[in-house]
Amino acid sequence: MRPLYWMRWMSVQGAPRLALKAYARRGDPLAQLFGDPATTHDPYPLLESIRARGRLVGGPFARMTVEHDLCRSILRDNAMGVRAAESFDIPRPLRGLTTLAPLPPNPMEPPSMLVIDPPEHTRMRRSVSAAFTPRAIGRLHARVESVTEELLDALPANGSADLVADFAAQVPIAIISEMLGFPHSAKDRFLGWGDAISPLLDIGIPWPSYRSAVAAIAEMDAYADEHLAKLRRSPGEDILSSLITAGELDDNDLKATASLLMGAGFETTVNLIGNAIVQLLDHPDQLAKLREDPELWPNAVEEVLRFDAPVQNTGRVALREVEYEGIRMPKGTTIVLSLAGANRDPKVFAAPDRFDITRDNAKDHLTFSSGIHACLGASLARMEAVHALRALFDRFPDLQLDGLPQRRPLFTLHGYSHMRANLGRRHAEHTTPV
């Protein structure tokens, strides 16, 4: 099968990769955003250069906007739909090669909620929405607290740790695993699969990354088959057991939903927690405010979501002819929405490049998207981050990074892969966050 998957990669990733690099060398800002690895570390200067070019900028594969109001309008427009990252404007002969090597159910292809429109999206989202209501998330609070405290207890006082691998990733993976009925022993496998699959959200990824993603999808699919079979024999109180009992989704639907919830359940949160640690240590005056007034923690998390968004981009495709900013665009036109750029729109956020945990409209960010595809687990991510961050800085008040943290080489998901830290003394009496 390897030659067929290589052909698939060439059609949906390899050809765009070559084109992006060529346009990036010519100075095209949209191509630079996706074709220049340097922008993964600090995309914001490039986003401002795109803003200077206009409200809706043309590019080789798609149009793009960094404007808050325009992003929000497009996200809420029923004339705009979603599709997989692999389906940008690829020539038809190349696109046909994708049928030669179909992938098992995964977060980036239908029937995943991420890449389907109503009425299919409505049916799929309705089936799992009950697990993410405010009341349901509230019931998880005590478990988030206990998981966080167990992880902090395991970190060595006056020692060092990787705050991504040893902490930021462990809180959300434990919670979403339990919500889906997966055993605790499987969490490391899911973390590995998530790291391997997440590059598929980008355009033009290299062949080794694509090959690793395909292998991870196959392994995850085989594991999901076994797990669903166990839940059918002995259902629990988890989301997947409820979906199996309801009988509204077939196996492909169930596996696509499970893989999406597992990935979304920790990818955004681990990046959020890691980004927050770096920003707070880089801005000690803001961390001091949090120590003086812990009630600011929820707003601090919103400011991190705005200032250094863990999800940087999304896209929409015109389901029929549309017009924005006086530009008429035919059906099939793709628009890339820079959530990170929208979050630093100076027309919405005063001094947008300033990190300010007391910002009164920080929650107006678009990191969790908007409209019918708004992040289902946004409340859970917020709750996990607030508790984990406050508990970490309470427990280790002298925490400092040990060298520069390592950024993930991704364009859509924005976070750190490694973050070595010297923990310092352990606070003898740590408070329990609200």
Side-chain angles (χ1 to χ4, degrees):
M1 280 298 280
R2 179 173 173 175
L4 293 180
Y5 280 123
W6 185 88
M7 292 174 68
R8 180 189 175 109
W9 166 79
M10 178 54 72
S11 69
V12 299
Q13 298 284 355
R17 179 178 175 84
L18 293 173
L20 284 169
K21 286 183 175 295
Y23 279 100
R25 286 193 295 269
R26 297 176 193 174
D28 183 272
L30 181 56
Q32 287 175 338
L33 187 65
F34 290 97
D36 184 355
T39 63
T40 63
H41 299 279
D42 183 12
Y44 300 105
L46 181 57
L47 293 177
E48 289 311 305
S49 73
I50 294 173
R51 193 188 311 280
R53 292 193 175 209
R55 287 175 54 79
L56 190 58
V57 179
F61 300 105
R63 293 188 177 273
M64 182 178 186
T65 182
V66 297
E67 301 297 310
H68 188 282
D69 62 331
L70 192 51
C71 284
R72 189 173 182 272
S73 295
I74 293 171
L75 289 169
R76 290 169 169 252
D77 190 346
N78 291 334
M80 304 297 292
V82 296
R83 59 178 174 180
E86 289 189 344
S87 62
F88 272 77
D89 297 329
I90 302 164
R92 186 170 297 176
L94 290 176
R95 192 180 305 162
L97 293 176
T98 62
T99 61
L100 296 175
L103 297 179
N106 64 84
M108 283 61 163
E109 294 183 336
S112 166
M113 284 183 286
L114 190 65
V115 290
I116 57 176
D117 295 310
E120 292 82 4
H121 175 268
T122 306
R123 176 179 65 90
M124 295 284 284
R125 186 169 175 119
R126 183 175 58 236
S127 66
V128 298
S129 59
F132 294 93
T133 62
R135 178 175 294 182
I137 299 304
R139 289 196 294 266
L140 292 170
H141 192 275
R143 183 57 184 146
V144 170
E145 287 186 352
S146 64
V147 167
T148 303
E149 298 306 318
E150 289 167 8
L151 290 169
L152 292 175
D153 287 342
L155 295 179
N158 295 311
S160 65
D162 184 332
L163 291 180
V164 174
D166 299 332
F167 184 68
Q170 298 298 327
V171 175
I173 195 65
I175 300 304
I176 196 63
S177 293
E178 292 179 10
M179 291 177 70
L180 293 172
F182 290 112
H184 182 74
S185 59
K187 64 181 179 63
D188 288 338
R189 273 188 282 183
F190 278 106
L191 286 170
W193 291 335
D195 283 343
I197 294 171
S198 55
L200 291 181
L201 286 168
D202 289 343
I203 298 297
I205 68 173
W207 163 243
S209 297
Y210 191 82
R211 181 180 56 201
S212 296
V214 169
I217 288 171
E219 292 175 11
M220 188 169 61
D221 183 65
Y223 183 91
D225 281 333
E226 295 180 4
H227 182 64
L228 292 174
K230 290 178 182 177
L231 293 181
R232 286 191 175 92
R233 292 192 299 269
S234 180
E237 297 181 357
D238 55 273
I239 296 173
L240 290 179
S241 292
S242 299
L243 294 176
I244 290 170
T245 302
E248 297 179 0
L249 304 181
D250 62 23
D251 273 10
N252 278 351
D253 291 341
L254 288 168
K255 288 190 287 186
T257 299
S259 64
L260 175 60
L261 293 179
M262 178 59 72
F266 74 85
E267 283 290 354
T268 300
T269 310
V270 63
N271 293 334
L272 167 56
I273 294 173
N275 292 353
I277 292 171
V278 171
Q279 293 305 328
L280 290 170
L281 292 177
D282 281 349
H283 298 86
D285 59 320
Q286 302 297 300
L287 183 56
K289 290 180 181 179
L290 287 165
R291 286 176 168 144
E292 294 170 3
D293 183 5
E295 297 299 319
L296 289 172
W297 271 109
N299 204 67
V301 166
E302 299 298 338
E303 178 66 350
V304 173
L305 286 163
R306 183 201 71 83
F307 186 80
D308 203 20
V311 180
Q312 295 266 304
N313 311 287
T314 190
R316 292 294 184 268
V317 60
L319 301 178
R320 56 181 180 268
E321 185 180 274
V322 296
E323 182 176 331
Y324 289 107
E325 302 300 311
I327 302 171
R328 194 176 297 275
M329 291 167 280
K331 177 181 178 180
T333 300
T334 297
I335 303 179
V336 176
L337 309 174
S338 173
L339 306 179
N343 291 348
R344 294 203 184 192
D345 189 334
K347 296 184 294 298
V348 178
F349 303 102
D353 295 330
R354 185 181 70 230
F355 181 66
D356 180 6
I357 65 165
T358 65
R359 186 181 298 274
D360 59 6
N361 68 336
K363 203 170 184 178
D364 290 342
H365 63 79
L366 294 177
T367 297
F368 289 126
S369 190
S370 188
I372 63 170
H373 285 278
C375 178
L376 193 60
S379 295
L380 177 60
R382 287 179 165 110
M383 187 261 283
E384 290 173 335
V386 167
H387 186 90
L389 289 164
R390 181 177 173 184
L392 174 68
F393 283 102
D394 278 353
R395 186 75 71 94
F396 296 103
D398 301 326
L399 171 70
Q400 292 294 329
L401 294 184
D402 183 6
L404 293 175
Q406 184 177 332
R407 277 282 187 193
R408 302 176 73 182
L410 304 175
F411 301 102
T412 300
L413 295 178
H414 186 65
Y416 295 93
S417 57
H418 298 285
M419 187 181 297
R420 298 301 308 181
N422 295 315
L423 300 175
R425 64 188 172 93
R426 186 190 302 272
H427 198 287
E429 296 181 2
H430 55 275
T431 59
T432 300
V434 295

